[in-house]
Amino acid sequence: MDSMASTNNVTELILTGLFQTPQVQRVCFVVFLPVYLATLAGNGLIIVTVSISKSLHSPMYFFLSYLSLVEISYSSTIVPKFITDLLAKIKTISLEGCVAQIFFFHFFGVTETFLLTVMAYDRYVAICKPLHYTTIMSQPVCHLLVAGSCLGGVIHSMIQILVTVQLPFCGPNVIDHYFCDLHPLFKIACADTSVEGVIVLANSGLLSIFSLLLLVSSYIVILVNLRNHSAEGRRKALSTCASHIMVVILFFGPATFLYMRPSSTLTEDKLMAVFYTVITPMLNPIIYTLRNAEVKITMRRLWGKKVNSGVE
């Protein structure tokens, strides 16, 4: 951070926000605050349900609870500041705060990418190698896969940050976005950022392509293998995989659209970012619980029991 401070006149940045009209911002506040609270409640409910339920102790639910924890953290890196800024006239963030936001946003985003890939591998082993499932997906292996996902997130984010802190910022200090991300920040650097842009794009792009290829190939192998299963087995496996595929599409779709095209100041870029920073983290627990009978039954049993005992 010292190298950053030595070449910077800018210590504080101004965010333009999502919309400029105060009335529209107030409407956004009323819409997005409940969405964020629902994200915390929905994902929190999954974490608590998996941790206290004896029937949800398989690796699939172990990964799901970690995915929910990452969703809460990922959303909390951006959304609380974004929501409070909707009521502020001037939206400011320190340069250090901006870099910290970029680090954690990329860390949790990439950790989620790896976790989704790990969950696809888990389904592959469960469906294609059922007799060896408990041996392959043992508890130490599951912990190792989660730790590996986090480590991947740290390495990726460190590269992004090391590229960013070398840049000089001497003004202007207005970022055309509602949170700090690399491309909007690069635009206000007092230097040519084309090399940095390529490094950042390669870092994000290669990782996304690699993860997406692993995910797609896992599901192709799963679908081919399902032909040998009974109709009931097929139905159960497809139901579990369908919710996972929906989450993968929701997560990778907007992010790929945003990072794989030339950077611009278009409003649709910001709206697309709203989708994957605010909306997607709320949808994931809904998708998993609505499409998973086991989770639904366990939640009803657990929380129904708690409510009834409270009434008594």
Side-chain angles (χ1 to χ4, degrees), residues 54-83:
K54 288 180 178 68
S55 62
L56 299 180
H57 273 190
S58 71
M60 180 170 85
Y61 299 112
F62 171 78
F63 295 132
L64 179 58
S65 67
Y66 270 98
L67 183 74
S68 292
L69 182 63
V70 169
E71 288 285 15
I72 288 173
S73 310
Y74 175 73
S75 186
S76 298
T77 304
I78 306 293
V79 181
K81 167 103 177 93
F82 166 50
I83 290 172

Side-chain angles (χ1 to χ4, degrees), residues 4 77 90 114 119 159 203:
M4 200 175 188
T77 304
I90 301 168
F114 285 134
M119 288 170 84
I159 294 168
N203 191 14

Side-chain angles (χ1 to χ4, degrees), residues 7 16 87 121 124 180 187 202 211 244:
T7 50
T16 59
L87 301 180
Y121 174 69
Y124 159 74
C180 279
K187 281 183 189 160
S211 300
H244 192 80

Side-chain angles (χ1 to χ4, degrees), residues 73-147:
S73 310
Y74 175 73
S75 186
S76 298
T77 304
I78 306 293
V79 181
K81 167 103 177 93
F82 166 50
I83 290 172
T84 49
D85 277 350
L86 286 168
L87 301 180
K89 261 199 171 74
I90 301 168
K91 307 155 191 14
T92 60
I93 189 168
S94 69
L95 192 55
E96 286 82 2
C98 183
V99 171
Q101 193 177 53
I102 290 170
F103 176 84
F104 287 109
F105 174 62
H106 280 263
F107 166 64
F108 290 118
V110 170
T111 302
E112 180 168 348
T113 304
F114 285 134
L115 268 178
L116 289 170
T117 311
V118 164
M119 288 170 84
Y121 174 69
D122 171 67
R123 290 300 81 211
Y124 159 74
V125 176
I127 293 163
C128 303
K129 300 180 187 296
L131 299 176
H132 305 286
Y133 180 66
T134 47
T135 319
I136 296 170
M137 300 304 288
S138 63
Q139 206 175 19
V141 169
C142 292
H143 283 108
L144 207 61
L145 287 167
V146 169

Side-chain angles (χ1 to χ4, degrees), residues 9 45 49 51 61 72 75 112 119 125-126 141 150 174 180 195 203 213 256-257 286 290 301:
N9 305 329
L45 189 63
T49 304
S51 63
Y61 299 112
I72 288 173
S75 186
E112 180 168 348
M119 288 170 84
V125 176
V141 169
C150 294
V174 178
C180 279
V195 174
N203 191 14
L213 282 173
T256 307
F257 169 82
I286 297 169
L290 286 181
R301 203 185 306 129

